[in-house]
Short mmCIF file of all heavy atoms in Angstrom, two decimals:
data_model
loop_
_atom_site.label_atom_id
_atom_site.label_comp_id
_atom_site.label_asym_id
_atom_site.label_seq_id
_atom_site.Cartn_x
_atom_site.Cartn_y
_atom_site.Cartn_z
N THR A 321 55.18 -17.86 37.55
CA THR A 321 54.49 -19.13 37.78
C THR A 321 54.36 -19.47 39.25
O THR A 321 53.72 -20.45 39.60
CB THR A 321 55.25 -20.27 37.08
OG1 THR A 321 56.57 -20.34 37.62
CG2 THR A 321 55.33 -20.04 35.59
N GLY A 322 54.97 -18.67 40.14
CA GLY A 322 54.85 -18.94 41.56
C GLY A 322 55.71 -20.11 42.02
O GLY A 322 55.38 -20.75 43.01
N THR A 323 56.83 -20.41 41.33
CA THR A 323 57.63 -21.57 41.69
C THR A 323 59.11 -21.24 41.84
O THR A 323 59.96 -22.11 41.69
CB THR A 323 57.47 -22.67 40.62
OG1 THR A 323 57.87 -22.13 39.35
CG2 THR A 323 56.05 -23.14 40.53
N VAL A 326 60.75 -22.28 47.54
CA VAL A 326 59.74 -22.75 48.47
C VAL A 326 60.05 -22.34 49.90
O VAL A 326 59.40 -22.78 50.83
CB VAL A 326 59.59 -24.28 48.40
CG1 VAL A 326 59.12 -24.70 47.04
CG2 VAL A 326 60.91 -24.98 48.73
N ARG A 330 60.28 -16.40 50.49
CA ARG A 330 59.77 -16.10 49.17
C ARG A 330 58.37 -15.50 49.21
O ARG A 330 57.96 -14.79 48.33
CB ARG A 330 59.72 -17.37 48.30
CG ARG A 330 59.50 -17.06 46.86
CD ARG A 330 58.98 -18.24 46.13
NE ARG A 330 57.72 -18.65 46.71
CZ ARG A 330 57.02 -19.66 46.28
NH1 ARG A 330 57.44 -20.37 45.28
NH2 ARG A 330 55.89 -19.99 46.84
N LEU A 365 45.74 -17.71 48.21
CA LEU A 365 46.69 -18.81 48.34
C LEU A 365 47.96 -18.35 49.08
O LEU A 365 48.49 -19.09 49.92
CB LEU A 365 47.05 -19.36 46.96
CG LEU A 365 45.93 -20.11 46.22
CD1 LEU A 365 46.43 -20.58 44.86
CD2 LEU A 365 45.41 -21.28 47.02
N MET A 369 49.30 -19.77 52.65
CA MET A 369 50.64 -20.30 52.83
C MET A 369 51.36 -19.60 53.99
O MET A 369 52.03 -20.24 54.80
CB MET A 369 51.45 -20.14 51.54
CG MET A 369 52.84 -20.74 51.60
SD MET A 369 53.63 -20.77 49.97
CE MET A 369 55.21 -21.47 50.41
N VAL A 387 55.63 -26.97 53.69
CA VAL A 387 54.72 -26.17 52.87
C VAL A 387 55.48 -25.63 51.67
O VAL A 387 56.61 -25.14 51.81
CB VAL A 387 54.10 -25.00 53.67
CG1 VAL A 387 53.01 -24.31 52.87
CG2 VAL A 387 53.55 -25.51 55.00
N ALA A 388 54.88 -25.73 50.49
CA ALA A 388 55.54 -25.25 49.27
C ALA A 388 54.50 -24.71 48.30
O ALA A 388 53.36 -25.18 48.27
CB ALA A 388 56.34 -26.38 48.61
N ASP A 389 54.92 -23.72 47.54
CA ASP A 389 54.09 -23.17 46.47
C ASP A 389 54.46 -23.88 45.18
O ASP A 389 55.53 -23.66 44.62
CB ASP A 389 54.32 -21.66 46.35
CG ASP A 389 53.34 -20.99 45.40
OD1 ASP A 389 52.63 -21.72 44.68
OD2 ASP A 389 53.28 -19.75 45.39
N GLU A 390 53.60 -24.77 44.73
CA GLU A 390 53.82 -25.54 43.52
C GLU A 390 52.97 -24.99 42.38
O GLU A 390 52.01 -24.25 42.63
CB GLU A 390 53.47 -27.02 43.75
CG GLU A 390 54.22 -27.67 44.92
CD GLU A 390 55.69 -27.86 44.62
OE1 GLU A 390 56.08 -27.72 43.43
OE2 GLU A 390 56.46 -28.16 45.55
N PRO A 391 53.29 -25.34 41.13
CA PRO A 391 52.48 -24.84 40.01
C PRO A 391 51.00 -25.21 40.12
O PRO A 391 50.14 -24.44 39.74
CB PRO A 391 53.12 -25.53 38.78
CG PRO A 391 54.54 -25.75 39.19
CD PRO A 391 54.50 -26.06 40.66
N ARG A 392 50.70 -26.38 40.68
CA ARG A 392 49.30 -26.79 40.78
C ARG A 392 48.58 -26.21 41.99
O ARG A 392 47.35 -26.26 42.07
CB ARG A 392 49.19 -28.32 40.78
CG ARG A 392 49.86 -29.01 41.95
CD ARG A 392 50.02 -30.51 41.68
NE ARG A 392 48.74 -31.16 41.59
CZ ARG A 392 48.28 -32.04 42.49
NH1 ARG A 392 49.02 -32.33 43.57
NH2 ARG A 392 47.12 -32.63 42.33
N GLY A 393 49.34 -25.67 42.96
CA GLY A 393 48.70 -25.08 44.13
C GLY A 393 49.64 -25.07 45.33
O GLY A 393 50.84 -25.35 45.22
N ILE A 394 49.08 -24.75 46.52
CA ILE A 394 49.84 -24.76 47.76
C ILE A 394 49.86 -26.18 48.32
O ILE A 394 48.82 -26.74 48.64
CB ILE A 394 49.23 -23.79 48.79
CG1 ILE A 394 49.17 -22.37 48.21
CG2 ILE A 394 50.03 -23.81 50.08
CD1 ILE A 394 50.52 -21.80 47.83
N SER A 395 51.05 -26.75 48.41
CA SER A 395 51.21 -28.14 48.85
C SER A 395 51.61 -28.18 50.32
O SER A 395 52.59 -27.54 50.73
CB SER A 395 52.26 -28.85 47.99
OG SER A 395 52.51 -30.15 48.46
N ILE A 396 50.86 -28.96 51.11
CA ILE A 396 51.15 -29.15 52.53
C ILE A 396 51.45 -30.64 52.72
O ILE A 396 50.56 -31.49 52.60
CB ILE A 396 49.95 -28.74 53.40
CG1 ILE A 396 49.50 -27.32 53.04
CG2 ILE A 396 50.27 -28.86 54.88
CD1 ILE A 396 48.06 -27.04 53.35
N THR A 397 52.71 -30.97 52.99
CA THR A 397 53.13 -32.36 53.12
C THR A 397 53.28 -32.71 54.59
O THR A 397 54.01 -32.04 55.33
CB THR A 397 54.48 -32.59 52.40
OG1 THR A 397 54.33 -32.25 51.02
CG2 THR A 397 54.90 -34.04 52.51
N THR A 508 46.94 -30.62 48.91
CA THR A 508 47.22 -29.54 47.95
C THR A 508 45.97 -28.71 47.73
O THR A 508 44.94 -29.24 47.30
CB THR A 508 47.73 -30.08 46.61
OG1 THR A 508 48.86 -30.92 46.83
CG2 THR A 508 48.11 -28.95 45.68
N VAL A 509 46.06 -27.42 48.04
CA VAL A 509 44.99 -26.48 47.71
C VAL A 509 45.21 -26.06 46.26
O VAL A 509 46.17 -25.35 45.94
CB VAL A 509 45.00 -25.26 48.65
CG1 VAL A 509 43.85 -24.32 48.33
CG2 VAL A 509 44.92 -25.72 50.10
N ARG A 511 45.08 -24.64 42.43
CA ARG A 511 44.77 -23.45 41.65
C ARG A 511 43.68 -23.81 40.63
O ARG A 511 43.81 -24.76 39.90
CB ARG A 511 46.00 -22.93 40.92
CG ARG A 511 46.98 -22.20 41.79
CD ARG A 511 48.14 -21.63 40.97
NE ARG A 511 48.91 -20.70 41.76
CZ ARG A 511 49.94 -21.03 42.53
NH1 ARG A 511 50.32 -22.29 42.58
NH2 ARG A 511 50.59 -20.12 43.24
#
Side-chain angles (χ1 to χ4, degrees):
T321 60
T323 57
V326 297
R330 193 201 60 180
L365 291 179
M369 183 170 178
V387 188
D389 188 349
E390 304 290 347
R392 62 195 295 249
I394 302 300
S395 175
I396 307 155
T397 301
T508 305
V509 182
R511 283 184 168 88

